Amino acid sequence: MKIRIGILGYGNLGRGIECAIKQNDDMELAGVFTRRDPSTVKIMTDGVKVYSVDEAVKMKDEIDVMILCGGSATDLPKQTPEYVKYFNVIDSFDTHAKIPEHFENVNNSAKESGKIGIISVGWDPGMFSLNRLYANAILPDGKDYTFWGKGVSQGHSDAIRRVEGVKNAKQYTVPVENALKAVRSGENPELSTREKHTRECYVVAEEGADKARIEQEIKSMPNYFADYDTTVNFITEEELNKNHSGIPHGGFVIRCGKTGQNGENNHIIEYSLKLDSNPEFTSSVLIAYARAAYRLNKEGNSGCKTVFDIAPAYLCRQSGEELRKNLL
Amino acid sequence: MKIRIGILGYGNLGRGIECAIKQNDDMELAGVFTRRDPSTVKIMTDGVKVYSVDEAVKMKDEIDVMILCGGSATDLPKQTPEYVKYFNVIDSFDTHAKIPEHFENVNNSAKESGKIGIISVGWDPGMFSLNRLYANAILPDGKDYTFWGKGVSQGHSDAIRRVEGVKNAKQYTVPVENALKAVRSGENPELSTREKHTRECYVVAEEGADKARIEQEIKSMPNYFADYDTTVNFITEEELNKNHSGIPHGGFVIRCGKTGQNGENNHIIEYSLKLDSNPEFTSSVLIAYARAAYRLNKEGNSGCKTVFDIAPAYLCRQSGEELRKNLL
């Protein structure tokens, strides 16, 4: 019997989950749940229905794992503790500062319902966190660096779009090559915000808008751009659609550490991602952890978990024997 | 109370463990066990004794985790199943083809004794295996690549030393930059052995030896060199000691995979290590897993485990709360 997956929220992430399910033949899509009018939502999988989110709870016995594809700002803080009362759930909650609180809320609900809730799954938090943890455990005397990009920041693109006279915009976060080089050399540099990343903006201005003023407003925007070297490129809507319609992302987690009698030996652990599609990759991570949630719950476990709490073998279809033979 | 670590076998790896313990203040060295005459073995830690290996079992209540630092060819296949009868043990067994058999042997002994035995810990097998597993779980439609180096291969250095007229030698395995580049571009190249790595040899010839013959013999040696582009550099013993006395290593695990409705998006996951000291880094991994072995056993678990079976949080000193707050 296949693992029956529900998707709650059908945006970029929901669509990514739908694609990922097709790559894992121990899983099947059991239903998509939306806050929109279900008749207006068209999905890619034949024979699978779109439901109103209000019908989700009624289907609790037909879904093994519900993947919550809402946003971290307002959706997930409510949805995850709520839906874990009825389902094993996975979310990609990524507001780092609020993870402890979110964990407690989900854990309380999950302990009561006997379900598993895995939170903050994706690549950061997620795979990047795992790599920080492993590298810290191995090299206690060291220093961590995380770089993001080159990739599209939705938040920064949105911020530009709010500037008067801007019709559309896309912002790329770009790691500074020389900073990466310094880190990899084992010099343990202290890097300021400005030294680590630059910001590249592609902006479509409204007709007759004052471009110099727009550029100035973007570059001086506090938190988003003021602390960075920012470049603003004005392009046409056509160019934006042609060259900047993807959602690539990625980044680097690097730890440099010392070992030896007197710390005489240096070691560099580096993990990097280069992703054509941020939401599809995140979805692929979520699906692997959905398998883990299903199995852990089958074994009688409940409560809130993160990627730190889950033995890697739970993510894989293969048996322990196959994994040892083929991947160890 | 600290975790009391025993070291069985005091070579490069054993010394590395001794250094690593000093970096982890929840651990202490409880004793070093050697097959040599203990009075001839000088260790770095004040107040800790060197014992004959024959005394190990008598100390089973004074050691929480015994780290087995023997070789994979003949030591560990016997030692690990034997010592797990008395101790939680960790080894770095690295004969890939024999891991299933080793696992069974250790598991049988460990289940009986109620101890934990973690096998094949290090970087390959070990951290590289983990990264292969995570990347495979996330991107089922993809291709794996593992490159080793630049680093010293002990086995290949030994093979050169067995050539007549060779006084001393060091061999470096070097990944081919263009092969790495092709893999990272997402081209999914098919790479032959020769295309992936080259072999660089630094050889000290005996006085009057026929260098042309030595070079020819090395380059044509089956399994070790014949399938590779090999360069042989003759140097003096002084140069060898000055420039080639380290034991660096490292490598790359790369998985390229596709997602999307029609596999239209490419993703590249890369993990790499650049290590000044292969045995010290391996030791650092072993020590992190020693912590896991101790904790798992405290919780009542027994049997043989690999890195695949151990939830990452077990490797860290910090509580789940601290990890979520600081590393997630």
Side-chain angles (χ1 to χ4, degrees), chain A residues 227-241:
Chain A
D227 297 335
Y228 298 85
D229 288 337
T230 301
T231 54
V232 176
N233 306 285
F234 289 96
I235 60 175
T236 65
E237 185 94 49
E238 292 69 42
E239 285 175 298
L240 191 82
N241 291 334

Side-chain angles (χ1 to χ4, degrees), chain A residues 129 259 266 270 272 280 328, chain B residues 129 259 266 270 272 276 280 328:
Chain A
S129 324
T259 66
N266 273 304
E270 176 168 342
S272 70
E280 287 180 11
L328 195 62
Chain B
S129 324
T259 65
N266 274 303
E270 176 168 341
S272 69
D276 274 359
E280 286 180 11
L328 197 62

Side-chain angles (χ1 to χ4, degrees), chain A residues 23 44 125 129 132 134 138 258-261 265-268 270 272 274 276 280 284 308 312-313 327-328, chain B residues 23 44 125 129 132 134 138 258-261 265-266 268 270 272 274 276-277 280 284 308 312-313 327-328:
Chain A
Q23 293 187 318
M44 299 170 274
S129 324
R132 284 187 285 262
Y134 279 117
I138 295 168
K258 292 174 185 305
T259 66
Q261 231 183 320
N265 287 313
N266 273 304
H267 306 277
I268 298 175
E270 176 168 342
S272 70
K274 191 164 162 257
D276 274 359
E280 287 180 11
S284 298
F308 295 162
L327 294 176
L328 195 62
Chain B
Q23 293 188 318
M44 299 170 273
S129 324
R132 284 188 284 262
Y134 278 118
I138 296 169
K258 292 173 183 307
T259 65
Q261 232 182 320
N265 287 313
N266 274 303
I268 299 175
E270 176 168 341
S272 69
K274 191 164 163 257
D276 274 359
S277 165
E280 286 180 11
S284 297
F308 295 163
L327 294 176
L328 197 62

Side-chain angles (χ1 to χ4, degrees), chain B residues 130-192:
Chain B
L130 267 181
N131 276 280
R132 284 188 284 262
L133 183 148
Y134 278 118
N136 272 268
I138 296 169
L139 297 174
D141 180 9
K143 197 163 156 53
D144 288 316
Y145 297 87
T146 302
F147 292 86
W148 294 274
K150 183 180 177 174
V152 172
S153 164
Q154 220 57 60
H156 288 79
S157 301
D158 290 345
I160 299 173
R161 284 189 209 103
R162 289 191 294 265
V163 172
E164 205 195 308
V166 170
K167 201 173 159 199
N168 206 345
K170 208 83 179 239
Q171 193 267 183
Y172 296 92
T173 306
V174 186
V176 174
E177 199 51 55
N178 277 338
L180 274 169
K181 212 182 264 180
V183 168
R184 287 182 185 133
S185 74
E187 293 167 19
N188 280 351
E190 291 291 337
L191 297 166
S192 67

Side-chain angles (χ1 to χ4, degrees), chain A residues 23-328:
Chain A
Q23 293 187 318
N24 291 277
D25 57 14
D26 59 334
M27 301 192 176
E28 63 185 12
L29 180 59
V32 170
F33 300 87
T34 179
R35 284 181 291 202
R36 290 175 271 169
D37 173 355
S39 69
T40 65
V41 175
K42 173 115 190 64
I43 67 170
M44 299 170 274
T45 311
D46 291 335
V48 173
K49 275 178 71 176
V50 180
Y51 302 89
S52 161
V53 74
D54 303 325
E55 297 179 78
V57 173
K58 275 187 272 178
M59 290 181 65
K60 72 187 174 57
D61 296 326
E62 285 147 72
I63 286 167
D64 296 311
V65 186
M66 185 70 96
I67 302 185
L68 305 175
C69 300
S72 296
T74 55
D75 299 333
L76 297 175
K78 289 184 183 163
Q79 288 177 348
T80 316
E82 176 60 22
Y83 286 103
V84 81
K85 293 177 184 167
Y86 312 100
F87 302 97
N88 298 309
V89 300
I90 314 278
D91 78 23
S92 58
F93 185 77
D94 67 358
T95 312
H96 285 265
K98 294 192 172 164
I99 287 174
E101 185 189 334
H102 189 54
F103 182 92
E104 283 310 316
N105 294 338
V106 175
N107 197 42
N108 291 338
S109 291
K111 282 289 179 197
E112 209 163 298
S113 67
K115 300 288 183 184
I116 289 276
I118 311 182
I119 62 163
S120 302
V121 176
W123 59 274
D124 196 4
M127 298 314 295
F128 273 18
S129 324
L130 267 181
N131 277 280
R132 284 187 285 262
L133 182 149
Y134 279 117
N136 272 269
I138 295 168
L139 297 174
D141 180 10
K143 198 164 154 55
D144 288 316
Y145 296 88
T146 302
F147 292 86
W148 294 274
K150 182 179 178 176
V152 172
S153 163
Q154 219 58 60
H156 288 80
S157 301
D158 290 345
I160 299 173
R161 284 189 208 104
R162 286 192 295 265
V163 172
E164 206 195 307
V166 171
K167 202 173 158 196
N168 206 344
K170 208 86 177 235
Q171 193 269 182
Y172 296 92
T173 306
V174 186
V176 174
E177 200 51 54
N178 277 337
L180 274 168
K181 213 182 266 179
V183 169
R184 287 181 185 133
S185 75
E187 293 167 20
N188 280 351
E190 291 292 336
L191 296 167
S192 67
T193 299
R194 190 178 300 274
E195 285 167 326
K196 287 184 72 185
H197 297 94
T198 57
R199 300 202 173 275
E200 286 179 11
C201 313
Y202 293 86
V203 179
V204 182
E206 280 168 7
E207 199 155 327
D210 179 350
K211 291 180 179 172
R213 195 252 316 143
I214 290 173
E215 179 166 345
Q216 192 43 43
E217 251 180 72
I218 294 170
K219 288 185 168 175
S220 59
M221 207 183 290
N223 301 320
Y224 285 96
F225 295 100
D227 297 335
Y228 298 85
D229 288 337
T230 301
T231 54
V232 176
N233 306 285
F234 289 96
I235 60 175
T236 65
E237 185 94 49
E238 292 69 42
E239 285 175 298
L240 191 82
N241 291 334
K242 189 175 157 224
N243 302 323
H244 304 283
S245 63
I247 320 175
H249 220 312
F252 306 81
V253 173
I254 306 175
R255 186 167 176 88
C256 310
K258 292 174 185 305
T259 66
Q261 231 183 320
N262 302 297
E264 63 275 23
N265 287 313
N266 273 304
H267 306 277
I268 298 175
I269 305 174
E270 176 168 342
Y271 180 79
S272 70
L273 296 173
K274 191 164 162 257
L275 313 174
D276 274 359
S277 166
N278 183 353
E280 287 180 11
F281 187 82
T282 301
S283 300
S284 298
V285 182
L286 285 160
I287 274 293
Y289 278 94
R291 183 179 289 120
Y294 173 77
R295 288 186 180 172
L296 283 164
N297 191 243
K298 277 267 173 206
E299 291 178 4
N301 298 290
S302 67
C304 189
K305 310 274 176 197
T306 74
V307 295
F308 295 162
D309 306 310
I310 293 171
Y314 280 100
L315 307 182
C316 298
R317 289 204 58 175
Q318 299 97 308
S319 69
E321 252 172 350
E322 288 173 293
L323 293 174
R324 286 190 292 276
K325 189 162 178 267
N326 301 320
L327 294 176
L328 195 62

